[in-house]
Structures are given as C-alpha cells and as structure tokens.
Amino acid sequence: AQSVTQLDSHVSVSEGTPVLLRCNYSSSYSPSLFWYVQHPNKGLQLLLKYTSAATLVKGINGFEAEFKKSETSFHLTKPSAHMSDAAEYFCVVTHTGGFKTIFGAGTRLFVKA
Amino acid sequence: DSGVTQTPKHLITATGQRVTLRCSPRSGDLSVYWYQQSLDQGLQFLIQYYNGEERAKGNILERFSAQQFPDLHSELNLSSLELGDSALYFCASSVAGNAVNEQFFGPGTRLTVL
C-alpha cells in the first residue's frame, strides 16, 4: 500500500527567506516521488521527481528535494522565496511498475513581502 | 501551456443530470488520467487509460465512466449528478502507461451542480 502525508496544510514565509515543505511517504515498493505546484486557477505543473537515481533532486525555479529512505521523507526546499512561489504544492507517490498516483493533501505556501 | 486541452472550462448543471467532459492529450502521449479536486477530498485519482484501454482505477464512482477513443482523446461521463460532485476535474497525459512518467495537466473543467 502507498500513502503520502504532507505535514503542513499552510506555510507562510517572508520573501527572501528559505522555504521548507514537508512530505512523508509510505510505500511497499521502491517509490517514485514527485512534487507538483498549482498556481491559483491553473493546472498542476511538475517541479521535480525522484525515481531511484540521485537522492538530491533539483527541479525548476530553484526548488530541490532530498529523498531520505531511513526517514521516509521527501521534503521540498528552496533557499530564497519569491512572491511568485505563492501557490499550492502537492507531494505525490507512485512506484516503478505501478499505475496509481497518490497525491498528498497539499501545502499552501504564502509569501509575505 | 502544457499542451493538454480540456473542454468546457466551466459547466453548470442541475442534480440528476448527466454531463461529458472532454480531454485532448499532448501530441504523442498515449496515457490519459482523470482527477477530481474538491475542497473536502483534495486531489483524487479517478481513472487512467492507456492507448484506448483502461489501465488503472482509483476512487471513481459507479455513476462515472470514461473512455479513450482511437484518436486518443478521452471523455469522462458523470451521471445522476449530486451536489457533492461539484469540483474541478483535471485531465493529465503522459507518454507511457507507467505512473512514474511525468504527467502534464490540463487547465481543468469546473463543474457546478445546483
């Protein structure tokens, strides 16, 4: 069975400060993990994905995530937040050979000027 | 622009009615996924088609059905609509049938059931 938990429903940061969005997963298989972003009234866009290669994954717009098997975590980080980063972020788990995609509940990121 | 198109953008209908949502995948993509996004349930995977055949089923109600046509576009049919079916319905596509591939999402169809 697979599941994904996003530990914060809302995160608020000031512009220029670091961003940390937390995600824990559970999977009976070797997982593939993704982060997607959804801006208001828009569809989802892939930020980055982990599929058993390097554990530190770099994505678009300066985001990165680190796969930590021992902690079953895949937290999303960015060194310096920008106003345009305000959006909802979804952590997603699936696995190689799998077909179902499990989305977390989402974390809404607010960026203050 | 992801290359995935969905029509209509908005749909307002009454309880008990039936509607059809349409999705055209990116050129070259063989898989189509349908999702429902609502405030109380979040983003739920409904169903996936790959090259015309059903590949995976998620939390899709029996009142809902989907199909993928030979030209690879897909339709999601929702019948006997209830107030609780009001949601944003997303279609996504990917090049292959395995869920580890990146999915490209359309802009969504907002369904309002009155």
Side-chain angles (χ1 to χ4, degrees), chain A residues 43-59:
Chain A
L44 284 77
Q45 179 187 20
L46 180 69
L47 276 179
L48 49 80
K49 69 175 181 180
Y50 165 79
T51 53
S52 77
T55 56
L56 183 61
V57 182
K58 293 189 185 298

Side-chain angles (χ1 to χ4, degrees), chain B residues 32-90:
Chain B
V32 169
Y33 307 76
W34 285 99
Y35 295 89
Q36 180 194 58
Q37 185 177 36
S38 61
L39 284 174
D40 53 343
Q41 300 273 5
L43 198 62
Q44 300 276 322
F45 166 68
L46 295 178
I47 196 164
Q48 178 202 357
Y49 277 81
Y50 175 71
N51 205 20
E53 296 197 2
E54 183 183 306
R55 178 59 67 97
K57 235 175 185 176
N59 301 321
I60 189 166
L61 300 171
E62 285 194 13
R63 301 183 285 107
F64 296 0
S65 65
Q67 55 185 332
Q68 187 179 27
F69 295 87
D71 67 352
L72 300 177
H73 90 272
S74 178
E75 292 180 357
L76 179 67
N77 300 296
L78 315 176
S79 62
S80 303
L81 285 168
E82 303 175 0
L83 295 177
D85 297 328
S86 295
L88 195 51
Y89 290 84
F90 285 109

Side-chain angles (χ1 to χ4, degrees), chain B residues 98-113:
Chain B
N98 191 300
V100 300
N101 295 284
E102 176 181 359
Q103 295 180 34
F104 295 85
F105 283 77
T109 292
R110 184 169 294 281
L111 173 66
T112 303
V113 182

